Amino acid sequence: MEQPFLYNDFSTFLRSRFAGKVQKISLNAGFTCPNRDGTKGWGGCTYCNNQTFNPDYCRTDKSISLQLEEGKKFFAHKYPDMQYLAYFQAYTNTYGGIDGLKHKYEEALAVDGVVGLVIGTRPDCVSAELLDYLAELERQTFVLVEYGLESTDDVTLRRINRGHTWADSMRAVCETAERGILCGGHVILGLPGESRENIVAQAAVVSSIPLTTLKMHQLQLIRGTRMAQEYEEHPEDFHLFGVDEYMEVVIDYVEHLRPDIVLERFLSQSPKELLLAPDWGLKNYEFNHRLQKRMRELNAYQGKKYEM
Ligand code: SF4
């Protein structure tokens, strides 16, 4: 018999919103990043891979609709009735003029079978005008804005050169949610300078803002990044989790989270050739399976230690 989830899982959330199966299709819509070109900062976040930030990669030749059609082909042979969410994933997907943004989002929504948008962005890169437009769109279709929060600690945010503060994150999430738009957050567990206690304490802070969904993943050191260089020069500044230790941190974190936040993922898997450390060789579903088992052993569940 299938065991119930011990946390709010994303697929159950999607089933509550849509009849039938829904799959996200990742897009590179040709956006760039304001934390690299001087608009918000220079050089980008220290963990972000510079090799993937080059004009060729950004200037994708394929239109948004073609990327979606190709994504659909991949899934449709297995599930002919599948519906899709256009996932604006690469770089900062609200970085641009309002007319250009509308054009991109509406191109995606015009593709047959696309039933909504997921828009990944930075908390300091959404205007009131854009949020008003997304609120209007939300009345007709599914819209989730996913913010890279990364940490709740301004010292860490400065150290990783995020170019925004926790106050920016709070403001963006509140202004999005108060318009009735679904809000997602993304955090990295294990950033330099953050102890296990600091990380788990962040769960309460993250719980205090009106997020609907949350993604978390382990810190990964990617070749060619400033953080990889820092690690090579000062490995003592880093604590890279082993998989079992990371799982214990995740469980502790999840227990301190607000019980209604939907948890979308716990692990990231960068391409092997780019990954410096840690290399766990684990797929998402394998981690999730082990996590559920360990949570059952510990009688742990989301929100168990949550305090308003
Ligand atoms: S992680 Fe995102 S915000 Fe940071 S440099 Fe990379 S693309 Fe820009």
Side-chain angles (χ1 to χ4, degrees), residues 5-71:
F5 278 94
L6 296 163
Y7 53 87
N8 278 317
D9 80 299
F10 191 66
S11 45
T12 307
F13 167 73
L14 286 181
R15 276 199 298 277
S16 74
R17 306 284 306 215
F18 299 98
K21 272 194 174 301
V22 181
Q23 176 67 47
K24 286 205 289 192
I25 296 179
S26 294
L27 298 172
N28 179 350
F31 286 101
T32 56
C33 172
N35 197 25
R36 290 184 174 275
D37 66 11
T39 305
K40 299 289 180 186
W42 295 104
C45 310
T46 59
Y47 55 85
C48 182
N49 182 4
N50 287 301
Q51 288 167 23
T52 62
F53 187 80
N54 63 61
D56 287 343
Y57 181 77
C58 284
R59 258 188 264 120
T60 176
D61 295 338
K62 293 177 187 167
S63 67
I64 289 168
S65 31
L66 181 60
Q67 290 177 58
L68 285 165
E69 291 298 350
E70 287 182 353

Side-chain angles (χ1 to χ4, degrees), residues 69-83:
E69 291 298 350
E70 287 182 353
K72 279 167 58 181
K73 251 187 233 153
F74 184 80
F75 296 105
H77 69 280
K78 231 171 153 186
Y79 302 105
D81 298 328
M82 183 79 93
Q83 303 175 91

